[in-house]
Amino acid sequence: MNQDIESKTDRIGGLRPRVKVFDFFSGCGGASQGFQDAGMDIVFGLDFAADARQSFMRNFPSAEFVFEDIRKVDENDVQSLVERQRPSPILFCGCAPCQPFTKQNTFRPAHDEDDRVPLLTEFLRFIERCKPDIVFVENVPGIQNVAANSEPFGGFLRGLKEAGFCDPPACASVSLRRYGVPQRRRRLLLLASRHGEIDLPPKSHGPGTASPAYTTVRDCIGDLPEIKASETDLVVPNHQAAGLSPLNLQRIRATPEGGGNRDWPEHLRLPCHRKSEGYSDVYGRMFWDKPASGLTTRCISYSNGRFGHPSQNRAISVREAVCLQTFPMEFRFSGSLNSMARQIGNAVPVRVTSAVGRHVAKHLAEANPGRR
Protein backbone atom coordinates (compact mmCIF):
# COMPACT_ATOMS: atom_id res chain seq x y z
CA MET A 1 0.00 0.00 0.00
CA ASN A 2 1.54 3.34 -0.97
CA GLN A 3 1.67 6.26 1.41
CA ASP A 4 -1.14 8.25 -0.23
CA ILE A 5 -3.58 5.32 -0.14
CA GLU A 6 -2.58 4.51 3.43
CA SER A 7 -3.13 8.12 4.50
CA LYS A 8 -6.61 8.21 2.94
CA THR A 9 -7.51 4.93 4.59
CA ASP A 10 -6.38 6.31 7.93
CA ARG A 11 -8.65 9.33 7.60
CA ILE A 12 -11.77 7.24 7.11
CA GLY A 13 -11.06 5.03 10.10
CA GLY A 14 -9.58 1.99 8.35
CA LEU A 15 -6.05 0.89 9.08
CA ARG A 16 -4.39 2.14 12.21
CA PRO A 17 -2.06 5.02 11.19
CA ARG A 18 1.63 4.29 11.54
CA VAL A 19 3.43 6.38 14.12
CA LYS A 20 5.64 9.07 12.59
CA VAL A 21 8.96 9.63 14.37
CA PHE A 22 10.77 12.96 14.67
CA ASP A 23 14.29 12.25 15.92
CA PHE A 24 15.94 15.32 17.49
CA PHE A 25 19.67 14.97 18.28
CA SER A 26 19.44 11.95 16.00
CA GLY A 27 23.13 11.18 15.68
CA CYS A 28 23.64 8.30 13.30
CA GLY A 29 20.12 7.00 13.94
CA GLY A 30 20.24 4.37 16.69
CA ALA A 31 16.94 5.47 18.20
CA SER A 32 15.36 5.77 14.77
CA GLN A 33 16.44 2.27 13.82
CA GLY A 34 14.73 0.84 16.90
CA PHE A 35 11.51 2.72 16.22
CA GLN A 36 11.61 1.60 12.58
CA ASP A 37 12.09 -2.00 13.71
CA ALA A 38 8.94 -1.54 15.81
CA GLY A 39 6.94 -0.60 12.70
CA MET A 40 7.14 3.18 12.85
CA ASP A 41 8.05 5.62 10.07
CA ILE A 42 11.12 7.83 10.44
CA VAL A 43 10.20 11.16 8.86
CA PHE A 44 12.60 13.66 10.45
CA GLY A 45 16.12 13.82 11.83
CA LEU A 46 18.07 16.73 13.28
CA ASP A 47 21.73 16.87 14.22
CA PHE A 48 24.75 19.10 13.85
CA ALA A 49 27.45 16.44 13.36
CA ALA A 50 28.42 16.07 9.70
CA ASP A 51 29.39 12.38 9.77
CA ALA A 52 26.34 11.45 11.83
CA ARG A 53 24.22 13.26 9.26
CA GLN A 54 25.73 11.16 6.47
CA SER A 55 25.14 7.94 8.39
CA PHE A 56 21.55 8.91 9.18
CA MET A 57 20.71 9.88 5.60
CA ARG A 58 22.37 6.73 4.29
CA ASN A 59 20.10 4.54 6.41
CA PHE A 60 16.89 6.64 6.34
CA PRO A 61 16.92 8.17 2.86
CA SER A 62 13.23 9.09 2.86
CA ALA A 63 13.44 11.15 6.07
CA GLU A 64 13.80 14.91 6.01
CA PHE A 65 17.05 15.87 7.72
CA VAL A 66 17.89 19.25 9.24
CA PHE A 67 21.64 19.78 9.53
CA GLU A 68 21.65 22.60 12.04
CA ASP A 69 22.17 23.56 15.66
CA ILE A 70 18.76 23.05 17.28
CA ARG A 71 18.97 26.53 18.83
CA LYS A 72 18.84 28.01 15.34
CA VAL A 73 15.83 26.00 14.13
CA ASP A 74 12.41 27.65 14.01
CA GLU A 75 9.75 25.52 15.68
CA ASN A 76 7.22 26.73 13.09
CA ASP A 77 9.19 24.96 10.36
CA VAL A 78 8.98 21.68 12.27
CA GLN A 79 5.31 22.32 13.01
CA SER A 80 4.64 22.55 9.27
CA LEU A 81 6.13 19.09 8.74
CA VAL A 82 4.22 17.70 11.72
CA GLU A 83 0.93 18.92 10.31
CA ARG A 84 1.66 17.17 7.01
CA GLN A 85 1.95 13.90 8.93
CA ARG A 86 -1.38 14.17 10.73
CA PRO A 87 -3.64 12.36 11.53
CA SER A 88 -0.93 9.80 12.20
CA PRO A 89 0.32 9.77 15.79
CA ILE A 90 3.53 11.76 16.22
CA LEU A 91 6.44 10.65 18.42
CA PHE A 92 9.20 13.10 19.36
CA CYS A 93 12.48 11.51 20.38
CA GLY A 94 15.01 13.76 22.11
CA CYS A 95 18.23 12.11 23.29
CA ALA A 96 20.26 15.26 23.88
CA PRO A 97 24.05 15.20 24.35
CA CYS A 98 24.65 14.26 27.95
CA GLN A 99 28.36 14.69 28.73
CA PRO A 100 27.81 17.40 31.40
CA PHE A 101 25.95 14.82 33.52
CA THR A 102 27.92 11.61 33.05
CA LYS A 103 30.01 10.11 35.84
CA GLN A 104 32.95 9.98 33.45
CA ASN A 105 33.00 13.78 33.25
CA THR A 106 34.88 14.67 36.42
CA PHE A 107 34.89 18.40 35.62
CA ARG A 108 31.34 19.75 35.55
CA PRO A 109 31.12 23.38 34.48
CA ALA A 110 28.44 25.72 35.68
CA HIS A 111 25.28 25.41 33.61
CA ASP A 112 25.76 28.74 31.88
CA GLU A 113 29.28 27.71 30.88
CA ASP A 114 28.32 24.61 28.94
CA ASP A 115 26.26 25.00 25.80
CA ARG A 116 24.98 21.44 25.96
CA VAL A 117 23.03 21.88 29.18
CA PRO A 118 20.09 23.90 27.76
CA LEU A 119 19.53 21.47 24.88
CA LEU A 120 16.76 19.64 26.73
CA THR A 121 15.03 23.00 27.15
CA GLU A 122 15.41 23.61 23.42
CA PHE A 123 13.73 20.27 22.76
CA LEU A 124 10.84 21.37 25.00
CA ARG A 125 10.34 24.40 22.75
CA PHE A 126 9.36 22.09 19.89
CA ILE A 127 7.17 19.90 22.11
CA GLU A 128 5.20 22.91 23.32
CA ARG A 129 4.68 24.20 19.79
CA CYS A 130 3.97 20.94 17.95
CA LYS A 131 2.25 18.90 20.70
CA PRO A 132 3.26 15.39 19.61
CA ASP A 133 1.34 12.40 20.95
CA ILE A 134 4.37 10.76 22.55
CA VAL A 135 7.70 12.06 23.87
CA PHE A 136 10.68 9.81 24.52
CA VAL A 137 13.94 10.85 26.17
CA GLU A 138 17.03 8.75 26.86
CA ASN A 139 19.94 10.14 28.83
CA VAL A 140 22.47 9.34 31.52
CA PRO A 141 21.27 8.74 35.08
CA GLY A 142 22.04 11.92 36.96
CA ILE A 143 20.59 14.46 34.55
CA GLN A 144 17.68 14.84 36.97
CA ASN A 145 19.98 15.53 39.92
CA VAL A 146 22.65 17.92 38.65
CA ALA A 147 21.49 20.84 40.80
CA ALA A 148 19.45 21.49 43.90
CA ASN A 149 16.57 22.84 41.86
CA SER A 150 16.85 19.92 39.43
CA GLU A 151 17.27 22.07 36.34
CA PRO A 152 17.02 21.66 33.44
CA PHE A 153 15.20 18.40 34.10
CA GLY A 154 12.64 19.81 36.53
CA GLY A 155 11.69 22.56 34.10
CA PHE A 156 11.37 19.99 31.33
CA LEU A 157 8.92 17.95 33.42
CA ARG A 158 6.86 21.04 34.23
CA GLY A 159 6.80 21.92 30.55
CA LEU A 160 5.49 18.47 29.64
CA LYS A 161 2.68 18.80 32.17
CA GLU A 162 1.72 22.24 30.89
CA ALA A 163 1.70 20.89 27.32
CA GLY A 164 -0.93 18.29 28.26
CA PHE A 165 1.17 15.18 28.83
CA CYS A 166 0.55 12.61 31.55
CA ASP A 167 1.85 13.69 34.92
CA PRO A 168 4.13 12.31 36.04
CA PRO A 169 5.62 10.70 32.94
CA ALA A 170 7.17 7.26 33.16
CA CYS A 171 10.76 7.94 34.18
CA ALA A 172 13.41 5.71 35.72
CA SER A 173 17.05 4.73 35.59
CA VAL A 174 17.13 1.21 34.16
CA SER A 175 19.72 -1.39 33.25
CA LEU A 176 19.64 -1.80 29.48
CA ARG A 177 20.32 -5.51 29.89
CA ARG A 178 16.60 -5.85 30.59
CA TYR A 179 15.92 -5.10 26.90
CA GLY A 180 18.52 -7.47 25.45
CA VAL A 181 21.39 -4.98 25.20
CA PRO A 182 24.66 -6.84 25.96
CA GLN A 183 26.14 -4.09 28.11
CA ARG A 184 26.34 -3.30 31.82
CA ARG A 185 24.89 0.12 31.23
CA ARG A 186 22.21 2.14 32.99
CA ARG A 187 20.30 4.94 31.32
CA LEU A 188 17.52 7.30 32.26
CA LEU A 189 14.42 6.60 30.18
CA LEU A 190 11.42 8.94 30.05
CA LEU A 191 8.17 8.26 28.23
CA ALA A 192 5.25 10.70 28.19
CA SER A 193 1.88 10.51 26.45
CA ARG A 194 -0.98 12.87 25.69
CA HIS A 195 -3.33 9.84 25.67
CA GLY A 196 -3.27 8.91 29.34
CA GLU A 197 -0.85 7.30 31.74
CA ILE A 198 1.97 5.23 30.31
CA ASP A 199 4.72 3.17 31.90
CA LEU A 200 8.11 2.03 30.64
CA PRO A 201 8.27 -1.19 28.62
CA PRO A 202 8.42 -4.36 30.72
CA LYS A 203 11.74 -6.14 30.74
CA SER A 204 12.23 -8.81 28.09
CA HIS A 205 15.48 -10.32 29.38
CA GLY A 206 16.72 -11.51 32.76
CA PRO A 207 15.28 -13.52 35.63
CA GLY A 208 11.51 -13.91 35.49
CA THR A 209 11.24 -13.35 31.72
CA ALA A 210 10.97 -15.60 28.69
CA SER A 211 14.71 -14.96 28.14
CA PRO A 212 16.13 -15.44 31.64
CA ALA A 213 19.76 -15.18 30.52
CA TYR A 214 21.10 -11.75 29.63
CA THR A 215 22.50 -11.26 26.14
CA THR A 216 26.26 -11.75 26.02
CA VAL A 217 29.19 -10.58 23.93
CA ARG A 218 29.34 -14.01 22.27
CA ASP A 219 25.67 -13.79 21.30
CA CYS A 220 26.36 -10.61 19.34
CA ILE A 221 29.85 -10.94 17.87
CA GLY A 222 30.77 -14.60 18.16
CA ASP A 223 30.07 -15.34 14.49
CA LEU A 224 32.05 -12.48 12.97
CA PRO A 225 35.17 -13.44 11.00
CA GLU A 226 38.56 -13.15 12.65
CA ILE A 227 40.70 -10.13 11.77
CA LYS A 228 43.93 -8.66 13.13
CA ALA A 229 44.64 -5.19 14.48
CA SER A 230 44.66 -2.65 11.61
CA GLU A 231 42.78 -5.05 9.30
CA THR A 232 39.47 -4.60 7.51
CA ASP A 233 37.28 -7.53 6.51
CA LEU A 234 36.42 -7.45 2.82
CA VAL A 235 32.92 -8.89 3.24
CA VAL A 236 31.38 -7.74 6.53
CA PRO A 237 30.68 -3.97 6.39
CA ASN A 238 32.58 -1.76 8.85
CA HIS A 239 34.40 -4.77 10.31
CA GLN A 240 37.57 -2.75 10.76
CA ALA A 241 39.93 -2.76 13.74
CA ALA A 242 42.24 -0.01 14.92
CA GLY A 243 45.98 -0.59 14.99
CA LEU A 244 48.07 -1.41 18.05
CA SER A 245 51.55 -0.25 18.93
CA PRO A 246 54.15 -3.01 19.48
CA LEU A 247 53.97 -2.38 23.24
CA ASN A 248 50.19 -2.62 23.35
CA LEU A 249 50.33 -5.77 21.25
CA GLN A 250 52.54 -7.27 23.98
CA ARG A 251 50.06 -6.12 26.59
CA ILE A 252 46.98 -7.61 25.00
CA ARG A 253 48.81 -10.88 24.40
CA ALA A 254 49.48 -10.96 28.14
CA THR A 255 45.80 -10.35 28.96
CA PRO A 256 43.46 -13.33 29.47
CA GLU A 257 39.77 -13.26 28.56
CA GLY A 258 38.05 -10.87 30.95
CA GLY A 259 41.41 -9.76 32.34
CA GLY A 260 43.20 -6.45 32.37
CA ASN A 261 46.35 -4.58 33.24
CA ARG A 262 46.65 -6.30 36.64
CA ASP A 263 47.38 -9.54 34.80
CA TRP A 264 50.47 -8.14 33.08
CA PRO A 265 54.07 -8.75 34.09
CA GLU A 266 55.53 -5.77 35.90
CA HIS A 267 57.54 -4.45 32.95
CA LEU A 268 54.35 -3.92 30.90
CA ARG A 269 52.44 -1.98 33.56
CA LEU A 270 52.08 1.82 33.57
CA PRO A 271 53.18 3.80 36.66
CA CYS A 272 49.61 5.00 37.29
CA HIS A 273 48.41 1.39 37.36
CA ARG A 274 50.99 0.48 40.00
CA LYS A 275 49.96 3.35 42.27
CA SER A 276 46.18 3.02 42.12
CA GLU A 277 43.57 0.33 42.57
CA GLY A 278 41.51 2.08 39.91
CA TYR A 279 41.86 1.83 36.15
CA SER A 280 40.84 -1.82 36.26
CA ASP A 281 38.91 -1.60 32.99
CA VAL A 282 41.47 0.20 30.83
CA TYR A 283 43.43 -2.17 28.59
CA GLY A 284 40.91 -4.88 29.50
CA ARG A 285 39.46 -7.71 27.46
CA MET A 286 35.76 -8.50 27.36
CA PHE A 287 34.32 -11.78 28.61
CA TRP A 288 32.75 -13.96 25.95
CA ASP A 289 29.80 -15.07 28.04
CA LYS A 290 28.94 -11.90 29.92
CA PRO A 291 27.61 -8.51 28.83
CA ALA A 292 30.24 -5.92 27.93
CA SER A 293 30.83 -2.79 29.94
CA GLY A 294 29.09 0.31 28.60
CA LEU A 295 30.41 1.39 25.21
CA THR A 296 31.79 4.92 24.94
CA THR A 297 32.83 7.17 22.07
CA ARG A 298 36.27 5.49 22.23
CA CYS A 299 34.92 1.98 22.16
CA ILE A 300 37.36 0.72 19.51
CA SER A 301 40.43 1.88 21.44
CA TYR A 302 42.18 -0.80 23.50
CA SER A 303 43.61 1.73 25.97
CA ASN A 304 40.32 3.52 26.78
CA GLY A 305 38.27 0.86 28.51
CA ARG A 306 37.43 -2.83 28.57
CA PHE A 307 37.28 -2.87 24.79
CA GLY A 308 39.76 -5.65 24.02
CA HIS A 309 38.34 -8.53 22.00
CA PRO A 310 37.76 -11.58 24.23
CA SER A 311 40.24 -13.78 22.34
CA GLN A 312 41.77 -11.96 19.37
CA ASN A 313 44.75 -9.66 19.97
CA ARG A 314 43.08 -6.35 19.18
CA ALA A 315 40.35 -3.99 20.28
CA ILE A 316 36.82 -4.69 19.07
CA SER A 317 36.13 -3.59 15.51
CA VAL A 318 33.65 -0.95 14.40
CA ARG A 319 31.20 -3.66 13.34
CA GLU A 320 31.57 -5.48 16.66
CA ALA A 321 30.81 -2.24 18.50
CA VAL A 322 27.80 -1.79 16.21
CA CYS A 323 26.57 -5.28 17.08
CA LEU A 324 27.03 -4.64 20.81
CA GLN A 325 24.85 -1.55 20.35
CA THR A 326 22.32 -3.97 18.75
CA PHE A 327 22.23 -2.35 15.31
CA PRO A 328 21.26 -4.70 12.47
CA MET A 329 23.99 -5.97 10.17
CA GLU A 330 22.70 -3.93 7.23
CA PHE A 331 23.17 -0.59 9.02
CA ARG A 332 26.05 1.34 7.44
CA PHE A 333 28.24 4.08 8.90
CA SER A 334 30.07 6.97 7.28
CA GLY A 335 33.19 8.80 8.41
CA SER A 336 36.66 8.01 9.70
CA LEU A 337 37.39 5.18 12.13
CA ASN A 338 37.31 7.56 15.11
CA SER A 339 34.19 9.28 13.84
CA MET A 340 32.34 5.99 13.47
CA ALA A 341 33.34 5.02 17.01
CA ARG A 342 32.04 8.36 18.29
CA GLN A 343 28.73 7.88 16.48
CA ILE A 344 28.35 4.36 17.85
CA GLY A 345 29.23 5.34 21.41
CA ASN A 346 26.74 8.21 21.33
CA ALA A 347 23.95 6.12 19.84
CA VAL A 348 20.90 4.86 21.70
CA PRO A 349 21.10 1.04 21.62
CA VAL A 350 18.61 -0.09 19.01
CA ARG A 351 16.83 -2.69 21.13
CA VAL A 352 15.89 -0.02 23.66
CA THR A 353 13.76 2.02 21.27
CA SER A 354 12.49 -1.12 19.58
CA ALA A 355 11.02 -2.15 22.94
CA VAL A 356 9.74 1.40 23.52
CA GLY A 357 8.19 1.51 20.06
CA ARG A 358 6.26 -1.73 20.51
CA HIS A 359 5.12 -0.58 23.94
CA VAL A 360 3.94 2.77 22.56
CA ALA A 361 2.00 1.06 19.76
CA LYS A 362 0.16 -1.05 22.33
CA HIS A 363 -0.53 2.03 24.46
CA LEU A 364 -1.98 3.97 21.51
CA ALA A 365 -4.12 1.01 20.46
CA GLU A 366 -5.60 0.76 23.95
CA ALA A 367 -6.13 4.54 24.12
CA ASN A 368 -7.82 4.62 20.69
CA PRO A 369 -9.62 1.27 20.37
CA GLY A 370 -11.69 2.41 17.36
CA ARG A 371 -8.71 1.85 15.07
CA ARG A 372 -7.88 -1.63 13.82
Side-chain angles (χ1 to χ4, degrees):
M1 180 181 295
N2 66 42
Q3 188 173 10
D4 290 340
I5 295 174
E6 182 180 5
S7 179
K8 291 177 182 177
T9 307
D10 293 343
R11 291 191 184 99
I12 62 174
L15 296 176
R16 184 179 305 282
R18 290 167 65 95
V19 176
K20 310 299 182 181
V21 176
F22 286 66
D23 193 353
F24 297 78
F25 319 104
S26 65
C28 62
S32 284
Q33 183 64 53
F35 287 127
Q36 180 172 276
D37 290 347
M40 299 180 176
D41 294 331
I42 313 305
V43 298
F44 174 88
L46 183 151
D47 207 281
F48 198 37
D51 289 341
R53 171 200 185 193
Q54 293 301 320
S55 295
F56 186 96
M57 295 177 66
R58 187 174 185 180
N59 292 280
F60 307 100
S62 63
E64 182 166 331
F65 193 91
V66 176
F67 180 50
E68 185 58 274
D69 184 328
I70 190 172
R71 291 164 292 191
K72 299 178 181 178
V73 179
D74 189 332
E75 61 266 30
N76 292 317
D77 294 337
V78 176
Q79 171 69 7
S80 177
L81 180 57
V82 167
E83 290 306 315
R84 295 204 301 270
Q85 302 300 326
R86 304 285 192 189
S88 295
I90 304 297
L91 185 151
F92 274 17
C93 173
C95 305
C98 54
Q99 283 84 351
F101 309 105
T102 180
K103 289 181 180 179
Q104 294 179 345
N105 184 15
T106 56
F107 171 70
R108 299 187 182 188
H111 289 185
D112 58 358
E113 295 176 0
D114 195 304
D115 288 342
R116 294 167 295 187
V117 172
L119 293 180
L120 198 61
T121 303
E122 288 293 323
F123 180 46
L124 179 62
R125 175 166 62 92
F126 292 89
I127 295 170
E128 292 171 333
R129 178 69 178 86
C130 303
K131 292 186 168 50
D133 298 87
I134 302 289
V135 168
F136 172 71
V137 171
E138 183 259 20
N139 218 299
V140 293
I143 187 175
Q144 75 275 36
N145 297 316
V146 294
N149 60 357
S150 193
E151 298 295 346
F153 197 72
F156 183 76
L157 295 179
R158 292 191 295 274
L160 287 178
K161 179 180 179 180
E162 293 168 3
F165 287 86
C166 58
D167 182 50
C171 182
S173 169
V174 303
S175 169
L176 300 191
R177 293 183 298 172
R178 66 186 284 172
Y179 299 127
V181 177
Q183 297 177 52
R184 299 189 307 275
R185 184 178 191 178
R186 297 190 69 86
R187 303 292 283 183
L188 181 83
L189 304 185
L190 180 148
L191 195 54
S193 171
R194 289 169 53 82
H195 297 268
E197 293 185 4
I198 189 170
D199 54 7
L200 294 177
K203 64 180 182 179
S204 58
H205 291 67
T209 71
S211 301
Y214 290 118
T215 308
T216 67
V217 170
R218 189 188 301 275
D219 293 333
C220 291
I221 71 171
D223 293 336
L224 290 173
E226 184 172 342
I227 59 173
K228 297 179 180 179
S230 301
E231 284 189 348
T232 301
D233 187 83
L234 299 179
V235 177
V236 178
N238 302 131
H239 190 26
Q240 179 181 4
L244 286 177
S245 68
L247 180 57
N248 279 342
L249 188 56
Q250 291 183 58
R251 286 168 171 158
I252 198 167
R253 284 172 175 165
T255 308
E257 177 192 341
N261 61 75
R262 295 174 184 174
D263 298 297
W264 300 343
E266 193 67 19
H267 72 278
L268 293 180
R269 302 189 72 191
L270 281 74
C272 60
H273 298 165
R274 300 189 189 104
K275 297 177 181 179
S276 173
E277 290 300 314
Y279 305 105
S280 59
D281 269 356
V282 296
Y283 296 94
R285 282 191 190 267
M286 297 178 177
F287 288 96
W288 270 123
D289 297 314
K290 294 182 180 180
S293 55
L295 267 63
T296 70
T297 57
R298 297 182 178 181
C299 56
I300 63 169
S301 171
Y302 171 54
S303 63
N304 280 281
R306 191 171 293 278
F307 303 137
H309 190 278
S311 58
Q312 297 171 38
N313 293 325
R314 58 174 177 81
I316 59 171
S317 71
V318 171
R319 177 51 55 180
E320 286 162 342
V322 169
C323 291
L324 292 172
Q325 285 281 62
T326 62
F327 282 85
M329 189 62 72
E330 61 269 19
F331 201 97
R332 301 291 190 270
F333 285 81
S334 299
S336 67
L337 201 63
N338 287 336
S339 172
M340 288 189 286
R342 185 166 56 252
Q343 294 173 55
I344 295 162
N346 282 331
V348 179
V350 171
R351 286 182 185 170
V352 173
T353 48
S354 179
V356 170
R358 293 191 300 270
H359 188 65
V360 164
K362 180 181 178 183
H363 165 77
L364 291 174
E366 292 172 350
N368 300 282
R371 296 280 189 180
R372 287 193 286 111

